[in-house]
Amino acid sequence: MILSALLTSVAINLGLCFLFITLYSILRKQPGNITVYSSRLVAEGKVKEGGEFNLERLLPTAGWVRKAWEPSEEEFLSNSGLDAFIFMRIFIFSLKVFMVGGIIGMFVLLPINYLGSQLKDESDFQHKSLDIFTISNVNNGSNRLWIHFCAAYVFTGVVCYLLYNEYQYISSKRIAYFYSSKPQPHQFTILVRGIPVPRGSTCDDAVERFFQEYHPTTYLLHSVVRRSSKLQNLITDADKLYKRLTHLKSKNDAPQRHKRDGLLGLFGPKVDILDHYERRLGSIEDNVRMEQSSVAAKEVPAAFVSFKTRFGAAIALHIQEGINPTEWVTEQAPEPHDVYWPLFTVSFIRRWISKLVVFVACTSLTVLFLIPVAIVQGLTHLDQLETWFPFLKGILRLSVVSQVVTGYLPSLILQLFLSFIPPIMVMLSSLQGYISWSQIQKSACTKVLLFTIWNIFFANVLSGSALYRVNVFLEPKEIPRVLAEAVPSQASFFIAYVVTTGWTNIASELFQLTKLISNFISRIFGSNSDDNFEAPSVPYHSEIPRIRLFALLGVTYFILAPLILPFLLVYFCLGYIIYRNQLLKVYLPKYETEGGYWPTVHNSTIFSLVLMHVIAIGIFGLKKLPLASGLTIPLPVLTLLFNEYCQKRFFPLFKDYPAECLIKKDRADQNEHNMPEFYDKLANSYNDPALMPIKYSERSDSHTSPLLHGFEA
């Protein structure tokens, strides 16, 4: 790619970012868009739709930036939770890393790369290849390469120092967050699977006898899980129908109530939709009650077991309960509203098989994704594209067309294909038997991260200049050399990728185009209802992998192509302020992992550093500086030793809370007067929502009264 093509891509994406931010500053003030741009505040009842028209609403303003910036860290933490707080710390950590890297790269390494003469390029400045800004342009054997060698050591030391401080800071926040929290049901509860039920007995009796015998002083109560998949589907149908009925009643529009009862409302006799929906809802209620009666006897060999103290729950969690390790299997219970109830129909063997099937599916998807990667790589090489489509040769040789095709289109197409991956990974993770939505999201996050690193980084690198050397790449001793040959040649693509995908995506996150269109259509057709409005949650499983990919590109290309660093700094600056705004106004936390995503961030940073070191070893060898190549070998070793220390020092705090914290918190609770009330609440916390009585319709005859008492929707 030539410099003018990069500038074209920068200009296009700067224009899009400016357009999105300007439109956002106008549209966010329109009363009709409040559920799009302030959905969290609407859900919490802090703002309501309304207001009169005035000219000021049509003028773009930057007041949202100030409001997003104002809250302190403690205010943001108390408002959005620990997961959101740590999500923002990812941006802060990345900004610190690349500010230091940017200073070294732009003011030290970039001039050295540009002043080299290894690559012959006599064209004028705007038509120069971006390769002259990379380490490939430094002469072989040049002593200037020692500056790159020193920069690798300095940068690694800075990243490890910042990473250690960040891990320590977040660990302290996690402990402080635990101490400040009120008693939560999941802190006192574990999930027990594989319960052996004696012949002639029930799962309920088996759990009661076992825990009263082996945990007599700490056991409190339990709730057996029942097979309710069919019932959950019925309740979902009833809930949707009830929402339609409520909205139809609120409109009070008699002519619109009469429609044809046929395909798409075009055929069949006319009926009163209100009466029709009420009859259907009553029928579903009857089916729900009948199914609830039958489900009561469909026990699953699993139960939520609660204890009187957190320490008692921790003891039961971490010791093997039975002689057979496949029985009485324990794991930490999630928050009650975070439980993914359908999974309980999955047996032990089916869970094991499903993990194998998901692994095969993920591998197959990764292989199939090489097809769009190959298409994208073809677009970055005009000569190859002209070979594929000779009839487009005249068009492709136009200056503007070639710059757009090589500088903008490849990243756009790749991002389009990549947008389908996160929902697919969530679906695959849900089949693995995880007990909560948060675990499904964390698993999907790891899958998306691995998929992204392989298909966006390695596949692009190998499908470019090194595809024909894959067989050599499989030999471990050849990995540094193969990567050193392949990675620098793809620097221009990844610089354009940061600009195209990074900048535009982060601006579109603010603009929320899809939700804006959906809201507009809903308002036109009158299908939206504020009573049933639900704010979205943060898609950590898709956003964290994207952020970590950009961080990997920055670390990897630090000594190879430092020109990428200022573009990354712009991305992280935009991301920090935009996501801070979104977390305060748009996204409402649905669950709390209490910092569970940070170890993934730490591990990906260590991987990025080691990858940089491996490439550096190879590049110094190719540049005829074997001494520098040999002296770089200690870097990955030292980095892995640092990682091992961090894993021993900090990771256990993210896996479980230590006994010191649990006992201190339990003792503090003893002085609270509301613990009996909490225990009463705990008794019903893990009841399956599908088994709760429902009453949507207005019928009051005795045979439709709730089967169970205490709930009415």
Side-chain angles (χ1 to χ4, degrees):
M1 182 190 295
I2 61 176
L3 185 60
S4 59
L6 175 63
L7 294 177
T8 300
S9 180
V10 170
I12 292 173
N13 286 280
L14 273 179
L16 288 174
C17 290
F18 180 77
L19 176 64
F20 287 158
I21 293 174
T22 301
L23 289 175
Y24 167 76
S25 66
I26 296 174
L27 294 173
R28 73 183 182 88
K29 295 184 287 186
Q30 309 309 314
N33 298 328
I34 193 169
T35 56
V36 177
Y37 298 120
S38 298
S39 53
R40 173 178 180 170
L41 302 180
V42 172
E44 294 176 337
K46 295 180 179 179
V47 296
K48 293 184 178 180
E49 184 174 346
E52 299 178 358
F53 172 80
N54 58 68
L55 185 61
E56 184 183 355
R57 293 187 180 215
L58 299 178
L59 300 176
T61 57
W64 64 273
V65 176
R66 177 179 54 81
K67 291 180 180 178
W69 189 275
E70 279 180 350
S72 65
E73 277 197 342
E74 295 302 325
E75 291 172 338
F76 184 87
L77 176 60
S78 62
N79 183 276
S80 299
L82 190 58
D83 283 341
F85 176 81
I86 289 178
F87 183 69
M88 295 310 304
R89 292 300 302 186
I90 299 175
F91 285 100
I92 295 173
F93 170 71
S94 301
L95 283 171
K96 291 178 180 178
V97 167
F98 293 116
M99 282 181 67
V100 176
I103 293 172
I104 299 173
M106 294 302 295
F107 296 104
V108 179
L109 301 181
L110 189 65
I112 294 175
N113 294 344
Y114 181 73
L115 294 174
S117 57
Q118 185 72 25
L119 304 177
K120 305 298 182 181
D121 191 348
E122 303 298 333
S123 57
D124 56 90
F125 186 74
Q126 67 174 351
H127 290 95
K128 285 186 179 295
S129 171
L130 292 183
D131 291 339
I132 68 169
F133 296 100
T134 70
I135 198 172
S136 301
N137 194 43
V138 181
N139 298 70
N140 292 341
S142 172
N143 287 328
R144 292 179 177 178
L145 289 169
W146 285 103
I147 299 177
H148 294 76
F149 170 83
C150 295
Y153 266 89
V154 171
F155 185 67
T156 300
V158 169
V159 173
C160 289
Y161 172 77
L162 293 173
L163 191 59
Y164 178 86
N165 286 341
E166 199 68 27
Y167 219 151
Q168 186 176 44
Y169 178 72
I170 291 175
S171 298
S172 65
K173 285 293 182 182
R174 174 175 159 84
I175 298 299
Y177 187 84
F178 173 73
Y179 279 137
S180 63
S181 65
K182 296 180 180 179
Q184 301 293 328
H186 67 278
Q187 297 173 350
F188 295 79
T189 306
I190 64 173
L191 173 67
V192 182
R193 299 181 192 254
I195 301 172
V197 181
R199 186 182 300 272
S201 182
T202 64
C203 183
D204 188 80
D205 294 334
V207 174
E208 183 81 19
R209 286 196 302 268
F210 183 88
F211 283 95
Q212 281 190 347
E213 180 176 357
Y214 298 110
H215 299 269
T217 59
T218 57
Y219 168 72
L220 180 64
L221 52 90
H222 71 275
S223 177
V224 173
V225 180
R226 288 174 169 79
R227 202 178 304 276
S228 60
S229 299
K230 180 180 177 181
L231 183 56
Q232 288 165 359
N233 294 332
L234 286 173
I235 296 229
T236 300
D237 293 341
D239 192 48
K240 291 179 180 178
L241 192 59
Y242 178 70
K243 289 179 180 179
R244 292 183 194 173
L245 190 60
T246 302
H247 179 66
L248 193 61
K249 288 181 178 180
S250 66
K251 289 174 61 176
N252 196 25
D253 190 354
Q256 293 293 326
R257 284 173 46 181
H258 293 80
K259 294 183 179 180
R260 295 188 181 275
D261 184 25
L263 181 64
L264 300 176
L266 301 176
F267 305 98
K270 282 192 173 183
V271 297
D272 187 324
I273 297 298
L274 187 62
D275 292 338
H276 181 65
Y277 281 172
E278 285 183 341
R279 286 194 299 271
R280 282 182 57 191
L281 187 58
S283 176
I284 292 177
E285 277 190 23
D286 292 338
N287 291 335
V288 167
R289 296 173 195 280
M290 292 175 61
E291 184 66 20
Q292 283 179 335
S293 299
S294 62
V295 164
K298 297 178 181 178
E299 292 182 336
V300 175
F304 288 100
V305 182
S306 299
F307 297 82
K308 299 174 183 177
T309 63
R310 300 173 182 84
F311 186 63
I315 292 176
L317 175 65
H318 293 295
I319 63 172
Q320 184 174 314
E321 295 292 343
I323 298 176
N324 186 345
T326 64
E327 297 178 348
W328 300 105
V329 180
T330 60
E331 55 187 295
Q332 182 65 51
E335 297 172 303
H337 60 270
D338 187 27
V339 177
Y340 181 59
W341 292 100
L343 71 93
F344 290 108
T345 60
V346 180
S347 65
F348 176 83
I349 187 65
R350 288 181 61 189
R351 288 177 63 199
W352 183 82
I353 294 174
S354 68
K355 290 182 179 180
L356 180 61
V357 171
V358 168
F359 174 78
V360 173
C362 289
T363 304
S364 303
L365 184 63
T366 301
V367 173
L368 290 175
F369 200 80
L370 293 175
I371 297 174
V373 169
I375 295 174
V376 166
Q377 281 299 323
L379 293 177
T380 62
H381 302 281
L382 281 182
D383 53 346
Q384 186 175 352
L385 202 59
E386 291 174 358
T387 303
W388 290 354
F389 307 102
F391 57 91
L392 295 177
K393 185 177 295 185
I395 298 176
L396 292 173
R397 289 185 176 179
L398 294 175
S399 177
V400 175
V401 174
S402 65
Q403 290 174 8
V404 171
V405 169
T406 60
Y408 182 76
L409 201 56
S411 299
L412 185 64
I413 294 176
L414 189 61
Q415 182 59 27
L416 179 63
F417 281 102
L418 196 61
S419 64
F420 296 101
I421 298 304
I424 292 175
M425 293 305 183
V426 169
M427 179 195 70
L428 293 176
S429 295
S430 66
L431 301 176
Q432 291 185 263
Y434 291 108
I435 66 171
S436 65
W437 283 110
S438 59
Q439 289 182 341
I440 291 173
Q441 295 267 312
K442 286 174 64 178
S443 176
C445 179
T446 302
K447 291 182 177 65
V448 175
L449 180 59
L450 294 174
F451 181 94
T452 302
I453 290 175
W454 172 253
N455 279 287
I456 303 302
F457 183 78
F458 286 107
N460 273 286
V461 166
L462 296 178
S463 64
S465 60
L467 184 60
Y468 66 97
R469 298 184 180 179
V470 172
N471 59 330
V472 180
F473 180 73
L474 297 177
E475 301 177 19
K477 64 179 182 180
E478 295 295 329
I479 290 177
R481 182 175 62 83
V482 173
L483 289 177
E485 291 176 347
V487 175
S489 64
Q490 298 300 313
S492 57
F493 168 78
F494 285 119
I495 293 173
Y497 183 80
V498 171
V499 173
T500 304
T501 304
W503 291 7
T504 308
N505 266 6
I506 211 71
S508 62
E509 165 62 34
L510 185 69
F511 185 45
Q512 299 281 317
L513 178 60
T514 304
K515 294 178 182 176
L516 184 68
I517 294 174
S518 175
N519 178 66
F520 177 75
I521 294 174
S522 297
R523 294 181 66 83
I524 290 295
F525 292 97
S527 59
N528 60 330
S529 176
D530 293 339
D531 295 335
N532 302 314
F533 174 76
E534 186 175 357
S537 59
V538 188
Y540 292 120
H541 67 285
S542 61
E543 296 309 309
I544 291 179
R546 180 182 293 123
I547 298 168
R548 298 318 301 157
L549 173 66
F550 290 131
L552 179 139
L553 294 178
V555 172
T556 304
Y557 280 98
F558 166 69
I559 62 172
L560 302 180
L563 185 61
I564 198 174
L565 299 176
F567 300 108
L568 284 171
L569 278 173
V570 172
Y571 168 78
F572 287 116
C573 286
L574 283 173
Y576 176 77
I577 196 64
I578 287 175
Y579 268 108
R580 194 172 170 90
N581 175 79
Q582 300 298 87
L583 289 167
L584 290 171
K585 294 182 179 178
V586 177
Y587 294 121
L588 185 65
K590 302 295 185 188
Y591 59 80
E592 182 63 63
T593 68
E594 299 179 358
Y597 287 100
W598 180 253
T600 301
V601 177
H602 173 89
N603 294 335
S604 65
T605 305
I606 295 296
F607 174 80
S608 302
L609 284 174
V610 173
L611 180 62
M612 180 192 76
H613 301 153
V614 172
I615 296 172
I617 292 171
I619 205 75
F620 290 137
L622 290 177
K623 286 294 181 180
K624 312 300 182 185
L625 208 65
L627 180 59
S629 182
L631 292 177
T632 307
I633 293 177
L635 261 184
V637 177
L638 293 173
T639 302
L640 292 174
L641 288 174
F642 165 77
N643 176 60
E644 184 65 19
Y645 173 76
C646 288
Q647 296 291 354
K648 300 294 186 182
R649 170 65 178 85
F650 298 115
F651 180 70
L653 294 176
F654 285 79
K655 187 177 181 181
D656 299 294
Y657 289 106
E660 177 183 351
C661 297
L662 296 174
I663 294 173
K664 283 184 178 180
K665 190 65 175 170
D666 286 335
R667 288 174 178 172
D669 287 343
Q670 292 176 1
N671 300 323
E672 298 290 335
H673 300 291
N674 58 351
M675 285 306 292
E677 180 181 343
F678 169 75
Y679 289 143
D680 292 338
K681 178 182 176 182
L682 184 60
N684 298 316
S685 294
Y686 288 95
N687 289 338
D688 191 338
L691 298 176
M692 296 295 180
I694 67 167
K695 189 168 178 20
Y696 288 119
S697 65
E698 297 179 354
R699 298 177 305 168
S700 58
D701 48 309
S702 59
H703 72 276
T704 60
S705 60
L707 295 175
L708 303 172
H709 298 286
F711 178 84
E712 184 172 294

